[in-house]
């Protein structure tokens, strides 16, 4: 999820993604991601969490990250 989109809707969102890059290779690159975000009207802010993990082909390398997401809504004009 793009951090700027955290809380862009009034409803809570839960998203899961899975991607296989070059699926015809025997050891394809694989990515999993999950995110959650919510809008808090009193704070004019969106908050969220994004977690990803990548498995990089036959090298067996794996990276995992977890990120907190924040956005603030500013009214520029009427």
């Amino acid at each position: 999820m793009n951090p700027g989109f955290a809380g862009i809707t009034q409803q809570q969102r839960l998203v899961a993604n899975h991607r296989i890059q070059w699926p015809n290779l025997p050891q394809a690159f694989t990515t999993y991601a999950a995110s959650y975000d919510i809008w808090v009207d009193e704070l004019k802010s969106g908050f969220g969490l994004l977690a990803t993990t990548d498995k990089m082909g036959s090298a067996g390398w794996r990276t995992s990250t977890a990120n907190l997401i924040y956005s603030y809504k500013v009214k520029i004009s009427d």
Side-chain angles (χ1 to χ4, degrees):
M1 171 197 313
N2 179 331
F5 288 143
I8 199 163
T9 66
Q10 295 295 319
Q11 297 82 23
Q12 300 176 47
R13 287 188 302 173
L14 179 63
V15 177
N17 292 310
H18 173 246
R19 178 178 186 229
I20 300 174
Q21 184 176 353
W22 303 316
N24 293 332
L25 294 178
Q27 297 283 328
F29 287 56
T30 306
T31 300
Y32 298 94
S35 63
Y36 170 79
D37 70 302
I38 187 171
W39 172 254
V40 180
D41 200 43
E42 298 81 23
L43 300 174
K44 298 181 184 175
S45 299
F47 298 91
L49 175 66
L50 171 63
T52 61
T53 186
D54 290 307
K55 182 180 175 198
M56 295 171 241
S58 60
W61 292 349
R62 180 178 294 248
T63 61
S64 296
T65 61
N67 301 286
L68 296 175
I69 300 170
Y70 175 76
S71 66
Y72 184 77
K73 189 174 185 179
V74 176
K75 187 172 184 177
I76 296 175
S77 66
D78 294 328

